[in-house]
Amino acid sequence: MRALTLLALAAPALGAFAAPAAAFPLPQAPEVATVQTVAGGCGVGFHRGPWGGCRGNGAVYVAPRAVVVAPRPVVVAPGPVVVAPVRHCWWRAGPYGSVRVCN
């Protein structure tokens, strides 16, 4: 009876050692993500700025085509004179520090 009891207690332990080990498991299929972020949520041609707003990626350059120009007589005339208003700027106190104000 004692041998039968020892065998009953040792059987689960021997069964655990007999389980096959997966030394080289088969490769699993990669999981597909359901959410894909594109350009930070701003769309094509835009990216997130330093404060989280959407900004353009820059100017798009298109190379011009070759243009054939026939020589014409050159007329030199003075261009119009543009007088821009003078900007007057000063500093004033704001809620988060000093602020530059111009008119």
Side-chain angles (χ1 to χ4, degrees), residues 19 26 41 46 48 56 58 61-63 68-69 89 93:
L26 296 175
F46 294 91
R48 290 282 177 191
Y61 177 74
V62 177
V68 178
V69 178
C89 299

Side-chain angles (χ1 to χ4, degrees), residues 52-99:
C54 293
R55 306 173 94 186
N57 286 340
V60 177
Y61 177 74
V62 177
R65 289 192 236 169
V67 178
V68 178
V69 178
R72 293 189 178 190
V74 177
V75 177
V76 178
V81 177
V82 178
V83 179
V86 178
R87 289 184 75 175
H88 178 71
C89 299
W90 67 92
W91 291 90
R92 71 169 178 86
Y96 302 108
S98 57
V99 179

Side-chain angles (χ1 to χ4, degrees), residues 1-14:
M1 185 73 168
R2 184 177 174 163
L4 188 60
T5 305
L6 288 175
L7 183 63
L9 292 175
L14 292 174

Side-chain angles (χ1 to χ4, degrees), residues 5-60:
T5 305
L6 288 175
L7 183 63
L9 292 175
L14 292 174
F17 288 121
F24 295 105
L26 296 175
Q28 300 294 327
E31 295 182 16
V32 178
T34 57
V35 178
Q36 181 179 7
T37 59
V38 178
C42 293
V44 178
F46 294 91
H47 66 278
R48 290 282 177 191
W51 289 284
C54 293
R55 306 173 94 186
N57 286 340
V60 177

